[in-house]
Amino acid sequence: MCGIAGIVSKNYFNIIPKLIKMLKNLEYRGYDSCGFAFFDCNSKSITVMKAKGTIDNFLANSRIQEKNSEIGIAHTRWATHGVVNDINAHPHVDCHGTIAVVHNGIIDNYLELREELELKGHVFRSETDTEVIPHLLEHYYRESRNILDALKKALKRLKGTYAVAILTSYDSEKIFFARNGQPLIIGIGDNEFYVASDIPAFLEWTKKALVLRDGDIGFVSRSELHIENYMDPNLKPPELFEVPWNIDQARKGNFPFFMLKEIYEQPDAIQRTIISVSHKASEVAADLLNANFLYIVGAGSSYYSSLYAQYLYAKWGLKSMAVIASEFEDLVGGAIEPNDVILAVSQSGETFDTIQAVKIAKSKGARIISLVNNMGSTLRMISDKSIVMGAGPEIGVAATKTFTTQIASFIVILKKVLELQGIDYERQIQSLQTVPRVLSENMEYFNNRALFIANWIKVKTNAFYLGRGLGQPIALEGALKLKEIAYIHSESYPAGESKHGPIALVEEGFPVVVIVLEDKNHSAVIANIQEMKCRGGKIISLIPAGDTEAQELSDLTIEIPRLDPEVAPMLYVVPLQLLAYHTAVCKGLDPDKPRNLAKSVTVK
Ligand code: M6R
């Protein structure tokens, strides 16, 4: 949801090329429009350049690359308030163009503030909520002649969430910043200070970072980093930490798209996750075992992996319920008790719905454990305990490697819980440890089959994804990939449930993707395939290697190596990711920038 970036050079270097690079590194957060504000070394004033569309589009049509500046801010937008056009693009400025603001978040009371400011004579240009911020700053600056003071006063007027970076000709050697409920990270390089929504923005130049907390406010200048907390003046500044990611993880390398790269990275990502989660899982095992009730909460793919955990944990007597984060309050909010445990699952750790669910559960005294991929995330900060996966940065908007690493994490956590009960889970863990190798060995086969099937499915407008038991969350995830990346309306049902209504849609050539696992549900899934097939459904099944019964019934198959039944389903999702990827590419779509989406959804 919107990316913000800022750089100040410590050495009088031109920052424009790096600022563009930073913004491109954040483009996965939104690509409706982009914009820059910088102090122009030639005109000695703040220049704002912005436009609807992607950064590449902007670069092709602007002369920003000819500019020279030592300090600047930038923004890439996922629209919430105001249509997608040039005027609504950030940065937004005050009446005189002397204060430029980039913002991620939503100002809930902007209409009332706008009305108040307009009565005072301020002239607004855009339809955005953000524009009240530069005008409020202009108003309070007139009183105190100090931007930091004006910022504190302005922030007290805002209701909602924000991460902001501000450039002003009143104090043109500083980038001011503040955060409340939206991520903001400071990067400390040898030659620059960076302000960014996420670490990959500056990973190429520094691994030294500080994660700001709610209420943190301050500035970076050529020689200084200043942070104070306006909500709690006694709070010490956040600690510096070393980012454990490397820059190659945040680059496309030889792959045409991040999504494909991240699919292929899964063997390594799972390997790293098994190791990193093993260390932390012991610390949370007792919490899970002794919980009055365990709620596993997530959104999108993180919800589907949570559902996998619910199915898996139930097999071993560990009661839990996977809950869609945005439904948490209505579905279970009233039932939360102090001894309950919330396992909050989120790649980004910034998903608004998940954070809200956690806040509700916290207010009722529940214990919060989070499973995140982003170590500098809000969710991690507000949890009692947190487990960080080792997937590395995920840039593609579609979750891929973080879905399989979430499942790997749940398996490792289960092992630690069962260990406390003296229950042996070694066979499954050994099977999990073979996943990286097995996946690597089969990746090219999966890729070729997926490409072949993509060429058939690309002209279809609907598809079913069916599975039972542990196959059901995999089917849900497969359907989500195809709809979000390839824009094919794909729905997933528990295979048994499909005959209670959805089967009415099946006609000659209707694509039905079926997850056939080697488990107790095998014969039931075979029966469901037959029901679809005799109504004209075209059966694309993912089957255990050598399963001739399923093969003979199917029109197209992908064979999946046989591993332990609790582990094998995570292999099945990989060809489904590749199927969505190739279908999108065959249709001429950009799988890294699906329409209307953004990587992390930090709004309601
Ligand atoms: O960062 P999170 O895991 O909390 O994100 C949750 C969802 O927004 C995310 O999984 C989304 O559904 C992706 N587009 C799935 O590919």
Side-chain angles (χ1 to χ4, degrees):
M1 254 358 45
C2 299
I4 66 181
I7 313 188
V8 51
S9 166
K10 298 179 182 175
N11 302 329
Y12 305 92
F13 291 155
N14 179 16
I15 54 89
I16 294 291
K18 281 190 173 175
L19 189 57
I20 294 170
K21 192 78 204 301
M22 273 182 92
L23 202 62
K24 282 187 81 105
N25 292 342
L26 291 173
E27 206 174 15
Y28 64 89
R29 299 180 68 89
Y31 27 83
D32 288 333
S33 61
C34 65
F36 298 80
F38 50 90
F39 193 80
D40 193 318
C41 290
N42 300 323
S43 68
K44 304 280 179 232
S45 63
I46 288 183
T47 298
V48 173
M49 300 174 88
K50 58 185 190 174
K52 172 183 167 177
T54 62
I55 300 169
D56 280 343
N57 177 56
F58 174 79
L59 295 179
N61 296 298
S62 86
R63 302 183 71 174
I64 189 167
Q65 289 168 98
E66 296 165 16
K67 300 288 181 185
N68 188 357
S69 170
E70 291 154 20
I71 185 165
I73 57 176
H75 187 270
T76 183
R77 180 173 188 234
W78 187 87
T80 59
H81 293 61
V83 297
V84 176
N85 63 20
D86 293 354
I87 294 172
N88 289 335
H90 296 217
H92 293 285
V93 295
D94 64 323
C95 295
H96 302 97
T98 46
I99 302 171
V101 175
V102 290
H103 166 223
N104 173 29
I106 291 181
I107 307 304
D108 294 326
N109 59 337
Y110 81 103
L111 285 174
E112 150 200 331
L113 290 171
R114 182 175 176 142
E115 208 176 294
E116 175 189 320
L117 288 158
E118 279 175 339
L119 282 174
K120 291 192 167 95
H122 290 259
V123 179
F124 282 72
R125 300 172 186 88
S126 77
E127 301 160 321
T128 65
D129 54 334
T130 302
E131 201 184 341
V132 296
I133 304 175
H135 289 283
L136 271 177
L137 281 168
E138 179 182 26
H139 170 75
Y140 287 117
Y141 181 76
R142 278 188 206 136
E143 286 175 5
S144 65
R145 299 277 147 192
N146 178 304
I147 284 288
L148 206 57
D149 278 353
L151 183 55
K152 284 180 204 163
K153 285 182 185 145
L155 296 180
K156 287 197 175 128
R157 302 292 316 280
L158 303 180
K159 292 194 181 121
T161 64
Y162 48 79
V164 288
I166 298 152
L167 190 65
T168 170
S169 49
Y170 294 133
D171 203 345
S172 63
E173 297 201 339
K174 295 180 179 129
I175 295 174
F176 294 88
F177 55 76
R179 100 152 241 175
N180 179 36
Q182 298 290 345
L184 201 56
I185 322 274
I186 306 294
I188 301 174
D190 292 339
N191 300 314
E192 293 102 5
F193 282 117
Y194 311 96
V195 180
S197 296
D198 205 352
I199 292 164
F202 52 73
L203 193 55
E204 190 171 338
W205 308 298
T206 185
K207 288 186 173 194
K208 289 192 197 119
L210 290 164
V211 180
L212 298 182
R213 293 103 8 126
D214 285 351
D216 280 343
I217 176 175
F219 61 80
V220 280
S221 70
R222 206 182 296 292
S223 56
E224 192 185 354
L225 162 63
H226 172 84
I227 303 176
E228 58 189 280
N229 192 285
Y230 79 93
M231 292 176 182
D232 178 359
N234 296 322
L235 200 65
K236 288 193 183 132
E239 281 177 19
L240 191 68
F241 79 104
E242 183 89 7
V243 180
W245 293 343
N246 69 55
I247 182 58
D248 288 339
Q249 292 175 311
R251 284 188 176 136
K252 259 192 295 202
N254 293 327
F255 288 89
F257 293 100
F258 277 109
M259 183 177 176
L260 188 62
K261 175 183 180 246
E262 287 159 4
I263 292 171
Y264 268 79
E265 270 176 358
Q266 288 178 104
D268 287 345
I270 292 167
Q271 184 73 55
R272 282 194 304 270
T273 295
I274 295 172
I275 296 166
S276 64
V277 173
S278 293
H279 291 140
K280 266 287 189 186
S282 318
E283 286 176 30
V284 306
D287 296 290
L288 266 54
L289 186 61
N290 300 326
N292 176 49
F293 196 82
L294 173 62
Y295 294 96
I296 313 175
V297 182
S301 297
S302 294
Y303 166 68
Y304 296 147
S305 73
S306 302
L307 197 58
Y308 191 95
Q310 180 183 341
Y311 276 99
L312 179 65
Y313 290 1
K315 279 177 186 284
W316 292 89
L318 184 62
K319 276 182 242 151
S320 70
M321 179 182 178
V323 185
I324 293 177
S326 57
E327 291 295 313
F328 183 84
E329 183 171 16
D330 293 320
L331 191 64
V332 296
I336 302 298
E337 293 175 14
N339 289 335
D340 291 342
V341 169
I342 310 300
L343 178 53
V345 183
S346 173
Q347 183 286 127
S348 61
E350 298 295 346
T351 298
F352 177 88
D353 295 328
T354 311
I355 289 172
Q356 269 311 103
V358 161
K359 286 183 178 165
I360 290 162
K362 247 185 135 150
S363 72
K364 303 207 161 201
R367 194 156 179 71
I368 312 298
I369 297 169
S370 57
L371 176 67
V372 298
N373 189 44
N374 182 356
M375 81 288 289
S377 63
T378 305
L379 187 55
R380 195 172 168 218
M381 284 194 266
I382 62 173
S383 305
D384 296 303
K385 290 182 185 168
S386 188
I387 302 177
V388 181
M389 305 192 303
E394 188 175 70
I395 311 287
V397 167
T400 52
K401 61 178 176 171
T402 55
F403 180 79
T404 45
T405 49
Q406 282 168 352
I407 291 182
S409 304
F410 291 132
I411 295 172
V412 173
I413 292 169
L414 178 61
K415 175 193 186 306
K416 300 289 178 187
V417 173
L418 295 176
E419 229 168 57
L420 291 179
Q421 299 167 284
I423 300 172
D424 180 31
Y425 198 59
E426 207 43 46
R427 196 190 71 236
Q428 290 83 346
I429 289 296
Q430 277 175 14
S431 183
L432 177 66
Q433 278 159 349
T434 66
V435 167
R437 177 184 53 76
V438 172
L439 254 187
S440 300
E441 288 169 2
N442 285 274
M443 202 57 105
E444 271 322 296
Y445 163 71
F446 288 165
N447 192 46
N448 292 337
R449 289 302 289 155
L451 177 59
F452 181 79
I453 298 168
N455 271 299
W456 175 79
I457 212 169
K458 68 182 181 196
V459 293
K460 300 289 179 180
T461 46
N462 297 289
F464 279 168
Y465 278 64
L466 307 180
R468 277 178 182 252
L470 287 173
Q472 168 56 10
I474 301 299
L476 282 160
E477 176 64 4
L480 176 62
K481 292 299 89 133
L482 194 69
K483 78 177 80 141
E484 70 178 336
I485 299 301
Y487 313 152
I488 292 178
H489 177 230
S490 37
E491 286 308 328
S492 171
Y493 299 96
E497 181 68 8
S498 63
K499 58 188 181 296
H500 296 283
I503 199 166
L505 291 171
V506 176
E507 55 189 0
E508 199 54 44
F510 188 99
V512 184
V513 179
V514 190
I515 309 298
V516 186
L517 298 178
E518 185 190 20
D519 65 5
K520 66 169 183 47
N521 291 323
H522 185 269
S523 61
V525 174
I526 294 289
N528 298 136
I529 290 180
Q530 265 157 341
E531 290 151 12
M532 293 286 159
K533 195 174 171 63
C534 66
R535 287 167 176 85
K538 174 109 172 170
I539 310 298
I540 301 154
S541 60
L542 282 74
I543 61 172
D547 181 344
T548 46
E549 188 186 8
Q551 191 147 33
E552 278 163 18
L553 279 175
S554 307
D555 297 287
L556 294 161
T557 53
I558 303 179
E559 295 194 52
I560 311 292
R562 293 177 187 246
L563 295 184
D564 183 275
E566 292 179 21
V567 174
M570 66 192 283
L571 296 177
Y572 283 64
V573 84
V574 177
L576 297 180
Q577 297 165 345
L578 287 161
L579 175 61
Y581 169 81
H582 284 301
T583 309
V585 174
C586 287
K587 290 175 79 169
L589 303 169
D590 179 344
D592 285 345
K593 294 196 186 77
R595 69 183 173 211
N596 306 336
L597 295 182
K599 181 72 181 160
S600 76
V601 185
T602 59
V603 292
K604 292 179 194 140

